[in-house]
Amino acid sequence: MPVEYRWPEQGKTAVVGHEQDRIDGLAKASGTAKYSYDINTKQMLIARMLGCPHAHCRIKSIDVSPALQVAGVVTAKPMKEAGAEIQWPGEPLAVVAAETEAAASEGAAAVQVEYELLDVYVDDTDRQAAEAAGRTAKGGQSIELEREPGEDEDEAEFEEREIQRLLDEAAKEGVVVEADYGIHAITHMCLEPHGSTCEWLGDKLTAHLSTQNVSGTAGQFAGPLGITADDVTVHCDFIGGGFGSKFSPDAWGVVCAQLARETGRGVKLMLTREQELKIAGARPSGFIHVRVGANKDGVVTVWDSHHWGTGGPDSGSIRPAVVPYVFAPPNRRAVHTVIKTNTGPFRAWRAPDHPQACALSQTAYDDIAWKLKMDSYEVFRRNLHTTRLPDVYAAEMEIAARLIGWKEKYHLHGQGPAEGSVVTGLGMALHTWGGAAHDSTCLLRIHPDGGVETSLGSQDIGTGTRTVIAMVVAETLGLPVNAVKVNIGNSKYPPSGPSGGSTTVGGVAESNRRAAQDALVQIFDLVAKKLNVSAEKLVAAKGRIHVSGKPDQGLSWKEACSLLGMKPLEVRGSYSRRENQPSKLSSETVGGVQMAEVAVDKRTGVVQMRKFVAVQDMGLIINPKTARSQVYGAVIMGIAYALFEERIIDRTTGEFLNCEIADYRLPRLGDIGEIVVELYQPESEYNRGVVGLGEPPVISPGAAISNAVANALGVRVPVLPLTPQRVLEAIKRSNV
Amino acid sequence: MKDQPHLTLPRGGVSRRAFLKGSGATAAAAAAISGTTAVEAAESRATFVAAETVSIELRVNGAMHKVTVEPRTTLLDVLRYRLDLTGAKPVSIDASSGASTVLIDGKPASANVVLALDCRGKHIQTAESLGGKDPDPVVKAFIKHDAMQCGFCTPGFVVAVRAFLDQHPNATKEQILNGLNGNLCRCGTYANVIMAALDAAKGGK
């Protein structure tokens, strides 16, 4: 009889859904967890790269020989040839391996390079200027109109006329907001920089790589090294942050392996902090000009926008398909222009495109409330029918409003009471994300002595992957969590997907639940035979396999496993989205609602977080403890880009000015205010199975906090982050 | 309401990069050597920092370790590369991340801006000393409140909280919010760290 893969009914689980401490919590908290940066091999060399000091130049010559004169330096090699054009600052030019970190740094600084400086272009805020400088490209558009052009009508002309007609109508009957908004580029700022420690045993490479992609990076090493993926082991037990930037070994990973091969020694090459910020990933900026029309009830009838921004030398801002964000009014047009700049290329940043799209469009929705003198909550609520999840949002909005005290505290924009120069305000935003499970395979092994281990080429980017896997297997086999050993972080284990797009918990839950259910069928058969009962009547609970309802009529887990004989039972659990959907274990698409309460000092321009409420659905929750942490963390990362962090580039030289920790402003423990997290899991959500959570809650904070600041001041501070300077400038412009 | 919700980050008095570069480093290294008899005057090596080594003893987590260091070698380098104690992490060039926080004679310090030579005769404690079979209450509180995600900042944070609570055994939430701003976390574990610190303050040693 084929096994039906599903979860126990809600409320009938022993492990899943219960608060569980991380199984690797002690290792992480007491510093024994080994990250790639922490792997020390015998006789190891440390490598450092020389980064290009210029944003745009051509390499005239490069000479690594002075580096070899530095005491402690063992080898040096160029990474670029004479004639190469460099398009962004920090691009690696040469690499030096030495006995110590200090000697390697000194060696890299000794490399002699001659540069021919080229024109630098970095302004991503001014579209007209970029067009005039020939630095733009079309970025596509997304358009939807209720009416269609007549047969002989020119489509473009019709679109233009129709949008204008709708805007005129809105201006007459309701309201039109015409405004500009923006959000600056930020970096990933992984605290463990990108890099690896590489060592060879004969012609086989082991790369201790800091990666979100354990199962997908062996081949990326192999190709450039002239070997095949079977000769590569990628190992990563712990990764110190990735956020979408660590899917590949990168050029510096390959060069690290080359140095190790050439010197016959282990080599560690981690980026410096400065390099990490300059070259290892950024989130594209976005700036928008919007015209949005709504009827007198606040229901949006037409959206027309043009946005631009930069993702580095080759790419632009966000996809027009996500503008406006979450809301899809019946008539809408979003046009995108790419601005090419001499800045570090973008990489996927937690929920790619969504946080910017949310900040660029739900601010405009809030300004409709402001102009109509309506409650923002009402305007958001009245437009829910244009979202894909109206019921989820409506329910979550009610919960969030109750938790933040919206009814009691809300006032119209700029009309709240002031305490000296301090005013307070509320704002909200909505978000969505897919979060479907990635493909995953695991090998579950049950030993005759009762030992249980599962192995898969997954990774823990901070979500608590090990813990979630152990919980799923323990739940299925009726065991305590500590009875399950979890082996992840090695590319020789069965392949599991990269941790991107909030796909990991769903993926590893799928493969492990399937494997454990299959294994249990085989154990049940053995026990049934032994006890002379029907296997269908057996259950696994509290460390025993017994007849349902009769705990005495059964065997302990250990006794049951002894029936396996000499060999362990091995079961492969496999999930593929193409073959196994629909699945009762996982699904996709979530919605979340967030509300912010801020205090703004009109004298200093300082915004202080008072309270932040995040209500989030994620289908079935495996570990509420780590799930809540994901939401807390996402909200704090959101507070970071809403109020503090931005990549600051010198307009003339293209230099990245704040590429050290002390200069790149991020919130600290005292900056975050009170955060309330509500995991939304009614039975309807639980029954959908697991859906990814990591990304969605990082999307709304920008818009929610911007809206709260606008509500407090009665003035829109249009560009994020809302630094004191921008707040004061906005106040000055509006004369409040 | 707090008067200064935004902290000013310490622009590390000693930037390691600046420290190790050029003539300043040579002078500093010379200053560090002076007073020791084990070291002969460094040979003049013109443009580069002297690489003469010194054999010293360091007391780390209760045990004495004999290590050979250069005058410029930081405590963090010794811990990570010689003793394989990698709980303290290299995150910033200065003291602005708190990721390499250790206790030196009971006081918190960023090991990446402390020279190994200056640690002779002192008692160094790393995050590893707070773990083991009977972990420190702060470690337990971090686990209980899930005050970690990727975990790279966590050992430094744990040591900082331990040091803070040693000085403020009955710390209030207000004190915690004002007193633990030296440690940077990118995953956003602050809310959980606050809960853990409060819990450890109430139930800690």
Side-chain angles (χ1 to χ4, degrees), chain A residues 159-193:
Chain A
E159 285 169 11
E160 211 54 55
R161 208 172 49 246
E162 177 66 0
I163 285 169
Q164 195 54 54
R165 183 189 69 78
L166 289 157
L167 285 165
D168 290 346
E169 190 181 280
K172 211 162 84 188
E173 319 255 322
V175 69
V176 169
V177 166
E178 179 164 6
D180 295 276
Y181 307 91
I183 178 165
H184 279 279
I186 62 173
T187 72
H188 293 70
M189 175 65 99
C190 306
L191 287 201
E192 179 190 32

Side-chain angles (χ1 to χ4, degrees), chain A residues 403-426:
Chain A
L403 290 171
I404 206 159
W406 188 282
K407 266 186 199 159
E408 303 78 40
K409 291 177 189 165
Y410 190 81
H411 54 72
L412 293 179
H413 287 63
Q415 294 183 20
E419 223 180 288
S421 57
V422 176
V423 287
T424 58
L426 291 177

Side-chain angles (χ1 to χ4, degrees), chain A residues 343-364:
Chain A
T343 58
F346 85 101
R347 293 185 178 200
W349 194 101
R350 202 171 183 174
D353 292 352
H354 286 228
Q356 303 103 301
C358 188
L360 295 181
S361 51
Q362 294 193 11
T363 41

